Amino acid sequence: MTVYAARPEQGHPDGSVAPVHYHGFTLRYRMEDEKEYRTVVSTRLHHTLFFEREDEGRRVCFTAAWMNPRLEPGPWSGEISEVVG
């Protein structure tokens, strides 16, 4: 599953941009029935996650934050979820 980080560009509903001082993003994810998040840091606008075959059909929950020049994340996005397939 590939996760893309972007924010909508003002006046362009199909376009997206990264913040001006973009240095990457931090992604937290967990399976819906788990309590602990796993964390991934990416310096690109996307990151590919790999799951086991037995995870197919399970729901995974994500939240992300841009990183500033000091590599501090924040603010965090709202949580979204997708089915592993």
Side-chain angles (χ1 to χ4, degrees):
M1 178 181 294
T2 302
V3 178
Y4 292 88
R7 65 179 186 186
E9 187 174 7
Q10 185 70 22
H12 300 279
D14 295 341
S16 62
V17 296
V20 175
H21 299 289
Y22 160 78
H23 289 278
F25 72 98
T26 301
L27 174 70
R28 293 189 309 191
Y29 69 99
R30 64 179 174 83
M31 299 312 257
E32 191 172 51
D33 57 346
E34 296 174 351
K35 293 183 181 186
E36 295 293 319
Y37 280 95
R38 297 173 217 161
T39 303
V40 174
V41 175
S42 178
T43 57
R44 298 181 175 197
L45 290 176
H46 60 82
H47 183 79
T48 302
L49 299 172
F50 297 94
F51 296 98
E52 302 296 327
R53 181 165 297 288
E54 57 266 12
D55 291 331
E56 255 184 69
R58 292 178 70 193
R59 188 165 291 279
V60 62
C61 303
F62 301 96
T63 186
W66 295 111
M67 290 189 305
N68 66 21
R70 292 180 287 182
L71 303 179
E72 300 167 329
W76 289 93
S77 69
E79 189 172 271
I80 61 168
S81 64
E82 286 294 327
V83 174
V84 176

